[in-house]
Amino acid sequence: MKGMVFTSFMDMIQESYGFDMVDALIDESNLPSKGAYTSVGTYPHTEMVTLLKLLSEKTKVPIPELLLTYGKYLFKNLISSYPQMSDRYKSSKELFKALDGVIHVEVRKLYPDAELPKFRYTELEDGTIQMHYSSIRHLEDLAEGLLKGALKHFGETADMTRANRKDSVIFTISYK
């Protein structure tokens, strides 16, 4: 996983729980990287799993809830780091439609070794959209948080449902 995902996660933990929590997680998790993340580095996703498990134990917040919250936080960081996304896309639908075919293509140019999730966009006749998500890491809760973060960023309201499939998840987003 790209280091930016880790540095943002640690920032969220510090903002939500304080520096002492970050310090405790790093001390107690026995990570190969020792928690020394840089935004441009690449780290095993197992370190994120270790951190999530320990954070969940310490806070009593279930891992899916932590990932959902983190997804929203991460979207806010991504959009502030890449303001051209706000300039180029005027709605979540525009952004979601461009996710795999445009945005992830650009990410691959910057980070050729990135193992990105796959998103496939489908728009139904009534304007409802479906985001088909698949990833070897199965971070569906994080993906849901990112989608919800985008809705919030664009000031949109929608109902979102989630259908789990064997190797993917379909998020159905019905705009209000």
Side-chain angles (χ1 to χ4, degrees):
M1 293 178 84
K2 295 314 296 174
M4 188 271 207
V5 175
F6 284 90
T7 58
S8 290
F9 184 62
M10 299 309 258
D11 289 345
M12 184 199 75
I13 294 168
Q14 184 172 341
E15 286 179 28
S16 300
Y17 303 103
F19 180 76
D20 289 342
M21 178 65 79
V22 172
D23 200 38
L25 291 175
I26 291 170
D27 285 347
E28 296 174 31
S29 60
N30 197 26
L31 301 168
S33 71
K34 308 273 189 259
Y37 302 116
T38 64
S39 61
V40 295
T42 301
Y43 307 94
H45 83 279
T46 53
E47 289 198 19
M48 180 67 72
V49 173
T50 299
L51 291 166
L52 278 163
K53 285 179 181 177
L54 190 54
L55 181 62
S56 179
E57 289 171 16
K58 289 183 165 301
T59 62
K60 305 299 185 226
V61 177
I63 290 173
E65 189 176 327
L66 289 171
L67 280 170
L68 183 71
T69 300
Y70 175 54
K72 293 174 191 177
Y73 183 90
L74 181 59
F75 184 84
K76 193 170 59 174
N77 278 4
L78 287 169
I79 207 78
S80 67
S81 296
Y82 302 98
Q84 64 273 25
M85 286 190 348
S86 280
D87 297 338
R88 184 171 184 181
Y89 305 107
K90 301 300 181 195
S91 70
S92 63
K93 278 186 182 183
E94 287 180 20
L95 178 70
F96 296 158
K97 191 173 190 176
L99 196 54
D100 248 14
V102 178
I103 296 169
H104 281 174
V105 170
E106 294 301 316
V107 171
R108 284 199 192 288
K109 287 179 186 175
L110 293 171
Y111 307 106
D113 62 333
E115 293 177 350
L116 300 169
K118 300 277 188 230
F119 282 96
R120 189 170 46 88
Y121 174 95
T122 305
E123 187 164 357
L124 307 178
E125 287 183 20
D126 66 356
T128 297
I129 65 166
Q130 292 183 324
M131 294 299 295
H132 302 253
Y133 164 87
S134 61
S135 171
I136 58 171
R137 295 188 186 94
H138 294 284
L139 294 171
E140 295 83 3
D141 299 305
L142 177 64
E144 184 175 339
L146 285 164
L147 296 173
K148 287 182 175 183
L151 290 167
K152 182 176 181 179
H153 171 76
F154 289 106
E156 299 165 333
T157 55
D159 292 323
M160 185 182 301
T161 60
R162 178 170 149 176
N164 295 319
R165 303 286 190 250
K166 182 180 177 185
D167 294 324
S168 65
V169 171
I170 300 172
F171 297 99
T172 301
I173 304 169
S174 302
Y175 291 84
K176 294 180 181 185

